[in-house]
Amino acid sequence: MKILHLSDLHFGTETADTVETLIGLITDISPDLAIISGDFTQINARKEYETARELINALPCPLLSVPGNHDVPPFNLANRFLRPFKRYQRYISKELNPVHENETAL
């Protein structure tokens, strides 16, 4: 089983060329599973999540992801404590504690 692991993408600091190149490399690798751990965004901005979603939509395989500390609102304290993963769950995944099981990886 070929697993791709990415972490700390910090969308909001990228260029379009960087994202395009990353998608091309991922396609060339042709993983069976992609794992993206934490910090999809730099400051939890909607546009950053939209760019992250573009990358996810281009993945040639299933995704297992978990949010990071940059994926919660840094400035709106009410949302930071009451709904910290609202945008993450809207754009990335509703699941906050994902599990992947198959015959090869348990």
Side-chain angles (χ1 to χ4, degrees), residues 11-52:
F11 284 109
T13 62
E14 82 294 337
T15 65
D17 289 343
T18 304
V19 176
E20 186 177 317
T21 299
L22 180 59
I23 290 170
L25 291 170
I26 293 169
T27 302
D28 290 346
I29 291 169
S30 188
D32 299 304
L33 175 68
I35 299 172
I36 303 178
S37 56
D39 296 346
F40 281 84
T41 67
Q42 182 65 21
I43 59 167
N44 191 251
R46 190 171 286 120
K47 177 64 178 150
E48 296 168 355
Y49 275 114
E50 289 169 354
T51 305

Side-chain angles (χ1 to χ4, degrees), residues 7-104:
S7 185
D8 296 279
L9 294 171
H10 290 275
F11 284 109
T13 62
E14 82 294 337
T15 65
D17 289 343
T18 304
V19 176
E20 186 177 317
T21 299
L22 180 59
I23 290 170
L25 291 170
I26 293 169
T27 302
D28 290 346
I29 291 169
S30 188
D32 299 304
L33 175 68
I35 299 172
I36 303 178
S37 56
D39 296 346
F40 281 84
T41 67
Q42 182 65 21
I43 59 167
N44 191 251
R46 190 171 286 120
K47 177 64 178 150
E48 296 168 355
Y49 275 114
E50 289 169 354
T51 305
R53 174 66 10 214
E54 289 175 23
L55 172 69
I56 290 167
N57 289 343
L59 289 175
C61 61
L63 171 67
L64 185 143
S65 66
V66 293
N69 64 307
H70 282 253
D71 300 325
V72 299
F75 307 115
N76 184 324
L77 292 182
N79 281 341
R80 184 175 180 89
F81 291 104
L82 299 175
R83 302 182 310 175
F85 300 111
K86 179 182 177 186
R87 285 190 178 158
Y88 175 87
Q89 289 180 302
R90 178 177 179 198
Y91 290 97
I92 307 301
S93 175
K94 294 195 182 318
E95 181 62 54
L96 295 176
N97 297 297
V99 173
H100 179 82
E101 294 181 358
N102 66 20
E103 313 79 51
T104 308

